[in-house]
Amino acid sequence: ERILPKLASPAILAADNLLSHEDELVEFRERVAAEPRLDATILPIGTGLLVGVYSTEGTPASASAAARVVSKIAASAGSPS
């Protein structure tokens, strides 16, 4: 409720610790799931990374596309350049 009005549209929303703090973040996860302007997924990276695409114009872009990008970044972060 406090974050979304401050975002430009479209925007990517990321939140950490979604798996390591499941009990404390139940309400947050429910709000994310109920928000029609946000398409989000939780990636099993580190302690659990939520990646969402927020859009006020029509249907949000697929969060799975954003998740694929973040997965590639995370995979390359551990490998030498």
Side-chain angles (χ1 to χ4, degrees):
E1 295 170 0
R2 295 182 297 194
I3 295 170
L4 296 183
K6 296 179 181 183
L7 296 177
S9 177
I12 293 179
L13 176 68
D16 200 9
N17 299 323
L18 272 285
L19 297 177
S20 63
H21 292 82
E22 281 186 82
D23 294 339
E24 294 95 332
L25 296 171
V26 169
E27 184 179 348
F28 174 77
R29 291 173 71 160
E30 289 172 350
R31 287 183 180 199
V32 166
E35 175 55 59
R37 300 168 294 175
L38 184 61
D39 187 10
T41 190
I42 298 174
L43 302 172
I45 296 174
T47 56
L49 181 65
L50 177 133
V51 177
V53 178
Y54 170 76
S55 176
T56 58
E57 300 171 14
T59 306
S62 173
S64 61
R68 285 193 299 273
V69 171
V70 173
S71 292
K72 287 179 184 179
I73 292 169
S76 66
S79 34
S81 304

